[in-house]
Amino acid sequence: MFIALHNTYSAKQVEEFARIVFGFGVDTIVITKATGSAAQSGVPVAHKLACRLGKNVLFFEDLDDAIEVLRPEKVILIGNKETCDKEVDFNSIGKNDLVVFCGASTGFTKLELEKGEGVYLTENEVGAIGGVAIFLYKMKELQLL
C-alpha cells in the first residue's frame, strides 16, 4: 500500500506526515503537488528521515504522475463527508492500492476525485495529519497493515 500526501504547501505538514507514516511501519510515502516551503524544505526533511530509517520517499509533480508510475490497483482518496458519499472500507484496501490524503484545507477538487474512489474517514474534517494517523491506526488495529 502506498500512502500519499497531495497538494501541500507546508513543510511542517510534510515532515509530520512522514513521521506518522514511517512510525506505523509503512516503507514508502508518496508526495504529489508540493509547492512552496513543502517542496523546498519539507520534502528534503522527509527524505533525510527516510534515509535514516531505511525507508523511501517518492516525489511527483502531480497525482497523475504517481498513478502512471506506481500503477495502483485502486486509488483511494480520503476526503471529507461533504464531498465523498461513502465511508472508507478498511477491508477493501489492498497491498497495491494508493491511499491519498489532501494537504490543502479545501480538500480534493472534483477533477481530482474523478481519479479514484473518494471516501471519508470521519464525520468532521481532521486534516491530512489527523486523517493519516487515524487511518493507519485503524489498519494496524484490524491487522491489515
Side-chain angles (χ1 to χ4, degrees):
M1 167 177 50
F2 296 101
I3 303 292
L5 177 62
H6 174 70
N7 194 15
T8 183
Y9 58 88
S10 168
K12 193 66 174 169
Q13 186 180 47
V14 172
E15 181 182 346
E16 291 301 316
F17 191 88
R19 285 187 193 287
I20 291 168
V21 173
F22 292 148
F24 275 96
V26 176
D27 289 331
T28 303
I29 63 166
V30 179
I31 301 168
T32 61
K33 199 177 177 184
T35 57
S37 69
Q40 292 176 343
S41 61
V43 172
V45 168
H47 186 71
K48 182 178 174 183
L49 177 64
C51 288
R52 261 194 258 136
L53 298 172
K55 309 282 186 178
N56 305 297
V57 174
L58 300 176
F59 182 44
F60 295 101
E61 185 176 358
D62 204 351
L63 191 55
D64 290 332
D65 297 325
I67 294 168
E68 178 187 333
V69 171
L70 300 174
R71 296 185 178 185
E73 287 180 24
K74 286 188 290 189
V75 177
I76 301 160
L77 300 128
I78 308 288
N80 57 43
K81 194 171 181 181
E82 295 172 7
T83 56
C84 301
D85 295 335
K86 62 184 200 176
E87 195 170 358
V88 63
D89 177 11
F90 292 96
N91 293 310
S92 72
I93 298 172
K95 297 227 182 268
N96 293 320
D97 292 346
L98 175 62
V99 181
V100 186
F101 294 84
C102 187
S105 60
T106 55
F108 292 109
T109 65
K110 287 189 179 220
L111 186 61
E112 290 168 341
L113 286 170
E114 291 174 3
K115 299 177 191 302
E117 179 184 4
V119 296
Y120 68 91
L121 186 62
T122 60
E123 296 290 319
N124 299 311
E125 180 60 38
V126 294
I129 301 299
V132 75
I134 292 167
F135 176 82
L136 291 172
Y137 178 82
K138 188 70 172 174
M139 290 292 286
K140 193 159 195 110
E141 182 180 61
L142 295 171
Q143 298 179 349
L144 300 170
L145 189 58

